[in-house]
Amino acid sequence: MTSTSDAELTRDAFLGGRLHLWQPRRGFRAGVDAILLAAAVPARAGECVLELGCGAGAAVLALLARVPGAVATGVEVQPDYAALARRNALEARLPLDVVEADLARLPPAVRGRSFDHVMMNPPYFAAETGTGSADPGRDTALRGDTPLPVWIDAGLRRLRPGGRLTAIQRIERLPEMLSALDARIGSVAVAPLQPRAGRPPQLFLLSGKKGGRAPFRMTPPTVLHEGARHETDAEDYAPAVAAALRDGAALALWD
């Protein structure tokens, strides 16, 4: 995305119309993954949230729409997307401060703070894999140059003791994600996301607490769609998933 003129944007409804976001007509566009990430963050009123790589703000603004009284900071390296996140927060009247920065070189205003929650949706593909997108914004979002361990380290440095890290990622990167965790984080849980019952998971949500001591656990899979196949044009999300996507409900995944 090289322009933020309204002709090159769409204004899309999320959470059943409770939230509207400007996004590039061409480029990286947020969807179900961002809302599932937001639903998995167990934030409460009065808590501070940091999203690394916030894009146009879909995930963190969906969280703020669900949790009145929470406040958030978003870090985004791409100027056009950072500008969209600021615009979306302003129009939604939600308390999001957007910082334009590389997460590996956070400015003092962010480095000097600690947060109750850090949320992230790192690029799904390593920079050296696959064929890049012709759109630079989409390519950065899907195949960023920053390795997963740098994302994890940046998040853990900003968490307060007892704070929680929540991430969403493709299932094939689960070993890489787990290997990036270190002694600073414990009570790690992984929630596989299955497209339908009986099919292998394609995504997972991960949660851990800074200083946590509980053993690692895998939750039962969260099945996104009902039925063995898509039978009609109507949506067929499972009830808990539909509630998260359309009503802004939380996903009760973690203890």
Side-chain angles (χ1 to χ4, degrees), residues 47-65:
E47 292 187 327
C48 298
V49 181
L50 172 66
E51 184 178 14
L52 298 178
C54 70
V60 70
L61 291 174
L63 172 62
L64 293 173

Side-chain angles (χ1 to χ4, degrees), residues 30-41:
V32 170
D33 299 6
I35 307 305
L36 294 177
L37 173 61
V41 179

Side-chain angles (χ1 to χ4, degrees), residues 15-181:
L15 306 182
R18 292 174 55 197
L19 180 66
H20 288 81
L21 302 174
W22 292 98
Q23 299 192 96
R25 192 177 300 276
R26 296 180 179 85
F28 181 76
R29 294 171 57 81
V32 170
D33 299 6
I35 307 305
L36 294 177
L37 173 61
V41 179
R44 296 177 293 184
E47 292 187 327
C48 298
V49 181
L50 172 66
E51 184 178 14
L52 298 178
C54 70
V60 70
L61 291 174
L63 172 62
L64 293 173
R66 174 169 61 84
V67 188
V71 296
T73 297
V75 174
E76 175 52 47
V77 70
Q78 301 188 80
D80 289 343
Y81 286 86
L84 285 178
R86 292 189 189 99
R87 179 180 182 179
N88 288 330
L90 181 65
E91 293 188 6
R93 300 183 180 180
L94 291 171
L96 174 65
D97 178 35
V98 180
V99 177
E100 185 184 316
D102 187 325
L103 63 89
R105 294 182 292 275
L106 293 174
V110 179
R111 292 201 313 269
R113 298 181 60 192
S114 60
F115 296 84
D116 300 290
H117 296 272
V118 173
M119 58 191 294
M120 62 177 69
N121 181 1
Y124 281 163
F125 305 98
E128 67 275 10
T129 62
T131 302
S133 170
D135 180 87
R138 180 176 174 82
D139 191 61
T140 298
L142 293 178
R143 297 181 348 115
D145 293 329
T146 306
L148 271 178
V150 176
W151 283 78
I152 298 296
D153 179 68
L156 293 180
R157 287 178 181 272
R158 302 280 64 80
L159 272 179
R160 65 162 181 80
R164 186 182 289 269
L165 173 75
T166 307
I168 190 168
Q169 186 53 254
R170 287 179 64 87
I171 197 71
E172 57 263 36
R173 301 196 79 181
L174 177 57
E176 186 181 355
M177 179 75 83
L178 292 176
S179 69
L181 304 180

